[in-house]
Amino acid sequence: MTHTYLLEPGTWIGSGTFWREDGEPMPAECRTEVTHQNDCWLIAGSLKVLGSPPVEFRNAYSIEPPSKKAGCLRWSSENATLGKVQGTFSVLERSIMSVYSCTAAGYHGAEHYDRIDAEHYQASGVLLLEARRLSSWEILLTREAVPAGGSSSDSGRPAVPRIATSGS
């Protein structure tokens, strides 16, 4: 199975539910842009929680490009709330897992991206502070259509190497 989220450049939009620490559910929307450069891959994303007042979380990840046989991708991010965050994406047969931590402040968490089909992923995640859950979310991601005549692979960048999954 070939993954399209993360392993191919593209823009993803989504909506779903965000749960606060007290368990109250709130509607949420997101937008994520994945780009591939020769020396690193980038993810720029935002998650908007539609509470009163609305709150928007912004993240920018830098990912080490994979080797042909790598099943894991190391990433780092600077977050205004959490500080420096480091994590790993692990590419599995049907899903992509991400675990991350900010050891200086005690934050850590995980995200799971379940591939529904090439255009849709179900993303679920949790943010913890030591042993306390601060928030969690479930978002249905949909890849934005590429305009007619265009392709997210028309960037002139080299082809993405095939990443070995746990089932390959």
Side-chain angles (χ1 to χ4, degrees):
M1 176 178 301
T2 301
H3 283 285
T4 51
Y5 182 75
L6 182 62
L7 302 183
E8 295 181 5
T11 301
W12 297 78
I13 55 172
S15 63
T17 304
F18 178 93
W19 289 271
R20 298 187 321 197
E21 182 177 9
D22 64 7
E24 181 178 343
M26 290 181 269
E29 299 173 344
C30 73
R31 179 179 176 84
T32 303
E33 185 173 340
V34 178
T35 58
H36 292 174
Q37 299 176 352
N38 290 333
D39 58 342
C40 72
W41 292 0
L42 302 171
I43 298 177
S46 66
L47 173 67
K48 188 171 187 177
V49 179
L50 305 175
S52 181
V55 176
E56 187 169 13
F57 302 97
R58 293 185 175 270
N59 286 300
Y61 300 77
S62 176
I63 304 165
E64 293 179 13
S67 65
K68 288 187 177 201
K69 298 198 181 221
C72 292
L73 306 166
R74 293 185 340 177
W75 61 266
S76 63
S77 175
E78 287 287 336
N79 182 286
T81 303
L82 306 178
K84 184 169 179 74
V85 181
Q86 294 184 313
T88 303
F89 287 107
S90 184
V91 180
L92 308 173
E93 182 66 20
R94 285 191 34 89
S95 59
I96 300 170
M97 295 287 302
S98 178
V99 292
Y100 57 90
S101 65
C102 175
T103 54
Y107 293 106
H108 58 105
E111 287 188 281
H112 176 257
Y113 300 89
D114 186 41
R115 185 183 190 275
I116 298 169
D117 58 38
E119 308 301 318
H120 300 91
Y121 279 75
Q122 179 68 42
S124 304
V126 62
L127 172 65
L128 304 140
L129 177 58
E130 296 172 355
R132 190 175 92 223
R133 183 172 68 186
L134 298 179
S135 60
S136 56
W137 53 92
E138 289 186 349
I139 305 285
L140 177 62
L141 296 172
T142 301
R143 182 163 48 175
E144 281 191 337
V146 177
S151 168
S152 54
S153 62
D154 285 346
S155 61
R157 296 182 192 105
V160 177
R162 168 137 165 69
I163 295 179
T165 63
S166 61
S168 336

